[in-house]
Amino acid sequence: MMTGVSSWVKWSAVVVLLAGYVAYSNIGPPPTTDLTGQRVLVTGASTGIGEQIAYHYARQGASVVVTARTEARLRRVVEKCRELGRKEQIFSYFVADMAGSNATKEVIEFGEAALGGLDFLVLNHMYLMPSANTWTGSDHNLTMLRHVMDVNFHSYVQLASHALPILERSNGSLVVISSLSAKMYQPYFVAYVSSKFALTGFFGSLRLELEMRGSGVSITVCFLGFIGTSNAVTSLKRFGLTRVLAVEPTDPGVTAQNIVAGAVARTKDVYFPYLQTRLTPLIRELFPGVFDSYIRYLYTKSYDINIASEQG
Ligand SMILES: NC(=O)c1ccc[n+]([C@@H]2O[C@H](COP(=O)([O-])OP(=O)(O)OC[C@H]3O[C@@H](n4cnc5c(N)ncnc54)[C@H](OP(=O)(O)O)[C@@H]3O)[C@@H](O)[C@H]2O)c1
Ligand SMILES: *[C@@H]1O[C@H](CO)[C@@H](O)[C@H](O)[C@H]1NC(C)=O
Ligand SMILES: *[C@@H]1O[C@H](CO)[C@@H](O)[C@H](O)[C@H]1NC(C)=O
Ligand SMILES: *[C@@H]1O[C@H](CO)[C@@H](O)[C@H](O)[C@H]1NC(C)=O
C-alpha cells in the first residue's frame, strides 16, 4: 500500500515536470535586452561558453572585459566584440592565471578601472581535464584536487569577494557558471564534481546572506547540461567516454544567450537545457538504484567496453 502510494507520487512528479518542460519550451528563445552602458567582466572568456557570453553582451550594447591565460585568444575575442558592438562600447582583456593567489584582486581592479565600475561579474573559467581518471588516493591525486579547487572554487570566492563592494554600488549581479555536476555524482570526475558542489553551496548560502541584509546585488547560479564546446567534447573523447558523447550536446551560443537572459532577469537559478538539468537530479532523487546503474553504464570507458565485448 505504502509503496503503491509513493511510486504514484514519484511518477506524478515526473509527469508534472514533463508538462512543465513542454510549457517552458514553447516560450521560445530568450528576449534580448538593450544593455547599453552596462559594464561586464567575464572570466574564462578565451574559448567556449565564456567567449560566447562576451559576444552576447557585446551585441546587446554592454562594455566587456575578458580574462583567461591565453593572450592571443583573448585579443581575438576582443576584436570580434568590437565587430559586434558599437564605437562607444569599451572592450578590453586581462591575462591572468586563476591558480595564482594574487591574480583575482588584479583582475577585479583592472576590470573596475577599465570600465569605470561593474554591473555584471560572470564567473565561468574552469580546470577540468586532469580529473577524468580513477581516484586512487595518491599524492598526485591530492595535489591535483588542490589545484582544481583553487581554480574552480577558491578563485571564484576571491573574485566575488573583491567585486562585492563594487557591485553593491551599482546594484549589480554575480553570475556563477555551475553544472549538472553540482547535482549529480560522476565517476572519474571526483575533483571537478567536488568543486561544482562547493560552488553552489557557497553562492547559494551567500545569496541568502545578501537577501537578509537587503543587498541590491543578485546572484544567478547556472546549472548547465552537456554543452558542445570543443574542450568538453575533446576531453570526453580522450578519456574514452563514448557513451556520454552519445548525449546530444547543446550549442554554446544558445547557452550563452540563456545565461545572459537569466542574469539580466536576476533569476536565482538558471537550468539549461531545461529538461536535462531538471529531470536528471529529480530522477536520481526518486529512483537512486536505477539511476546509479545507468550512470555506471554511461561512464564506462570505451577501453573497458572493448575488453568486455572481446571476453563475451
Ligand atoms: N561544456 C560543458 O559541457 C559544460 C557543462 C556544464 C558546465 N560547464 C561550465 O561552463 C564553464 C565553461 O566551460 P567550457 O566548456 O566553455 O570550457 P572551456 O572552453 O574549456 O573554457 C574554459 C575557460 O577557462 C579558462 N581557464 C582555464 N584554466 C584557467 C586558469 N587557470 N586561469 C584562468 N583561466 C583559465 C580557459 O582559458 P585559458 O586556457 O586561455 O586560460 C577558457 O577560457 C565552466 O565553468 C564549466 O564548468 C560546461
Ligand atoms: C602576483 O604574483 C605574480 C607571480 O608570482 C607576480 O609577478 C606579481 O608581481 C604579483 N602581484 C602582486 C600585486 O603581488
Ligand atoms: C590518481 O593517481 C594515480 C597514480 O598516480 C593516477 O594513475 C590517476 O590517474 C590519478 N587520478 C586522478 C583523478 O588524477
Ligand atoms: C540600488 O537599489 C537601492 C534600493 O532599491 C536604491 O535605493 C539605489 O538607488 C540603487 N542604486 C543604484 C546605483 O541603482
Side-chain angles (χ1 to χ4, degrees), residues 44 46-47 49 69-70 97-98 124 192 196 225 227 229 231:
S46 63
T47 56
I49 300 164
R69 291 168 304 177
T70 319
D97 186 342
M98 295 302 173
N124 163 81
Y192 176 73
K196 291 297 186 187
I227 314 300
T229 62
N231 281 346

Side-chain angles (χ1 to χ4, degrees), residues 130-131 133-136 138 140-141 144:
S131 58
N133 228 323
T134 313
W135 182 269
T136 63
S138 65
H140 167 270
N141 292 174
M144 182 276 295

Side-chain angles (χ1 to χ4, degrees), residues 19-280:
Y21 173 68
V22 172
Y24 179 90
S25 39
N26 285 337
I27 295 170
T32 52
T33 331
D34 180 19
L35 297 178
T36 304
Q38 297 290 298
R39 300 152 298 179
V40 185
L41 175 56
V42 188
T43 72
S46 63
T47 56
I49 300 164
E51 176 185 0
Q52 297 299 321
I53 291 174
Y55 297 154
H56 201 57
Y57 271 113
R59 257 185 233 116
Q60 293 182 84
S63 290
V64 184
V65 167
V66 290
T67 178
R69 291 168 304 177
T70 319
E71 179 163 17
R73 293 206 62 98
L74 287 174
R75 213 180 277 148
R76 252 181 289 160
V77 172
V78 165
E79 270 167 34
K80 177 105 186 268
C81 284
R82 291 212 175 98
E83 286 166 22
L84 295 169
R86 294 185 309 270
K87 254 204 197 88
E88 315 82 77
Q89 288 166 250
I90 298 162
F91 298 112
S92 185
Y93 68 86
F94 188 81
V95 180
D97 186 342
M98 295 302 173
S101 57
N102 67 11
T104 56
K105 196 160 201 160
E106 294 173 355
V107 167
I108 298 299
E109 282 169 358
F110 177 88
E112 187 189 18
L115 301 168
L118 203 56
D119 297 291
F120 292 90
L121 172 61
V122 184
L123 301 175
N124 163 81
H125 61 277
M126 68 146 165
Y127 189 54
L128 163 72
M129 267 105 78
S131 58
N133 228 323
T134 313
W135 182 269
T136 63
S138 65
D139 286 348
H140 167 270
N141 292 174
L142 296 171
T143 311
M144 182 276 295
L145 175 71
R146 198 173 285 277
H147 184 74
V148 170
M149 291 304 281
D150 273 347
V151 176
N152 292 7
F153 175 66
H154 290 292
S155 77
Y156 274 54
V157 170
Q158 289 168 14
L159 288 160
S161 303
H162 300 319
L164 214 48
I166 306 165
L167 292 170
E168 293 279 4
R169 289 199 283 279
S170 59
N171 290 338
S173 302
L174 261 172
V175 184
V176 178
I177 308 304
S178 186
S179 168
L180 189 48
S181 302
K183 292 187 177 275
M184 182 185 135
Y185 313 125
Q186 288 156 266
Y188 308 132
F189 288 93
V190 168
Y192 176 73
V193 167
S194 306
S195 70
K196 291 297 186 187
F197 266 74
L199 264 190
T200 54
F202 180 85
F203 284 99
S205 307
L206 177 65
R207 180 162 57 203
L208 288 169
E209 282 193 24
L210 294 182
E211 287 167 356
M212 286 163 84
R213 64 169 188 255
S215 163
V217 177
S218 66
I219 297 183
T220 297
V221 179
C222 304
F223 296 95
L224 305 182
F226 179 29
I227 314 300
T229 62
S230 59
N231 281 346
V233 172
T234 345
S235 61
L236 287 176
K237 277 197 188 131
R238 179 146 26 106
F239 295 114
L241 293 170
T242 36
R243 284 172 179 164
V244 181
L245 281 163
V247 176
E248 184 67 33
T250 304
D251 177 65
V254 177
T255 305
Q257 287 177 27
N258 280 271
I259 291 167
V260 175
V264 170
R266 297 179 159 248
T267 311
K268 287 186 184 183
D269 296 324
V270 169
Y271 290 89
F272 190 80
Y274 192 75
L275 181 63
Q276 195 185 108
T277 51
R278 276 309 233 182
L279 269 185
T280 308

